[in-house]
Amino acid sequence: MKIETGEIITLDNNKEYICFSTLNHEGKDYVYLMSNFKPLEIKFGEQTIDDGEVNIRIINDQNQKQMVLNLFQNNN
């Protein structure tokens, strides 16, 4: 089961993030995450499902972050 908009998840850093938005582009599922704490953090990730378990790979590459941000901006 994929992460849906509005869900709260805990990442490997033991911090909670709210799923602000999701989208699928070219077969990849992306999530736009906003921290549930201050200072506010924004993260983008790619979600996959392996053996029924949802995995989020946080995108750290600046060029890929920009590409995913553009996808979310153009999705509205």
Side-chain angles (χ1 to χ4, degrees), residues 9-58:
I9 63 169
T10 303
L11 296 181
D12 289 342
N13 62 4
N14 291 320
K15 294 181 179 179
E16 288 187 345
Y17 294 82
I18 300 165
C19 181
F20 185 71
S21 186
T22 64
L23 68 80
N24 181 284
H25 179 74
E26 296 181 351
K28 293 184 180 181
D29 292 309
Y30 295 103
V31 291
Y32 185 148
L33 303 172
M34 190 178 319
S35 64
N36 196 23
F37 55 87
K38 292 185 180 182
L40 185 67
E41 290 181 9
I42 302 292
K43 294 189 180 279
F44 296 102
E46 182 181 337
Q47 70 174 317
T48 58
I49 299 176
D50 300 313
D51 294 327
E53 182 176 323
V54 176
N55 293 301
I56 303 291
R57 181 186 63 83
I58 297 301

